[in-house]
Amino acid sequence: MMLHSVPMQINKAARSVTLRHPNGIPCHAFRQRVLRQADGGMGGMPTLGGLGVLDSSDEPDVEWELLGDAKLLIVENFQVSTVVDRGDALDNAEPQIVALIEALRPAGDFAHFTAKTKDVLYMLLHADVKIAYEVVAIDGDINIAPYSRKYILHKRDDLTYIDGFKAE
């Protein structure tokens, strides 16, 4: 048995648990695409006046592409929260969570995706309640390829009202 089969089985188990867990949260995943055009390119990004762009996060001319539907499962220890005045929910003030993310489409499907840093996930808590989180880092638990992934997500309240985040 090859050593790399261990992380492959762990990844399969993590996918199965994420997709089937009762606490899994359905979400829409989006990826930013830079619309600015340039004569040349460097590292897959258009240059700015001939210079390479360090990061796409400050680009003003972007479009958010819907990658597809996914399930998100929060895998960190529960953080205490304050109960809201109505007593029917918790005010999750923590801006960061650790989660597993799996596309609903299987790996062989052309619409399958793997989340990357800077992707935005819209957690669909209710028909009228959607919360945006951005993938800011990806951690691995196993030091053997193919690595397992845990995603560090930061809350992005500023993206809640952007019209580009409307899934069909």
Side-chain angles (χ1 to χ4, degrees), residues 2-164:
M2 301 296 286
L3 192 56
H4 73 280
S5 66
V6 172
M8 288 174 61
Q9 294 304 316
I10 289 173
N11 288 338
K12 284 182 183 178
R15 176 172 172 76
S16 179
V17 167
T18 302
L19 293 176
R20 295 181 176 144
H21 199 283
N23 291 339
I25 302 169
C27 55
H28 297 305
F30 292 87
R31 185 164 291 154
Q32 191 179 65
R33 186 169 65 88
V34 177
L35 298 176
R36 180 177 54 81
Q37 299 295 319
D39 295 337
M42 182 181 296
M45 293 293 297
T47 58
L48 184 60
L51 297 174
V53 178
L54 294 177
D55 196 313
S56 66
S57 62
D58 291 326
E59 288 281 355
D61 194 14
V62 296
E63 178 178 88
W64 292 95
E65 293 181 298
L66 177 64
L67 295 174
D69 294 331
K71 268 281 186 87
L72 180 145
L73 180 63
I74 298 171
V75 293
E76 65 185 348
N77 291 336
F78 178 74
Q79 303 294 323
V80 297
S81 298
T82 306
V83 176
V84 296
D85 290 339
R86 290 188 315 260
D88 61 354
L90 296 176
D91 177 20
N92 293 328
E94 278 298 312
Q96 175 177 303
I97 59 173
V98 179
L100 297 174
I101 301 166
E102 291 292 339
L104 293 185
R105 300 287 184 149
D109 194 308
F110 74 95
H112 177 81
F113 65 91
T114 300
K116 296 181 181 180
T117 55
K118 298 184 185 163
D119 285 354
V120 171
L121 292 128
Y122 246 81
M123 295 192 323
L124 309 172
L125 302 179
H126 185 271
D128 298 326
V129 179
K130 300 173 185 171
I131 302 174
Y133 278 88
E134 179 182 5
V135 178
V136 294
I138 302 171
D139 285 346
D141 291 336
I142 299 173
N143 197 19
I144 304 168
Y147 306 104
S148 62
R149 296 170 159 242
K150 282 187 183 173
Y151 298 90
I152 312 295
L153 307 173
H154 281 194
K155 201 174 202 181
R156 288 292 306 268
D157 289 334
D158 58 320
L159 297 177
T160 301
Y161 306 103
I162 293 178
D163 287 338

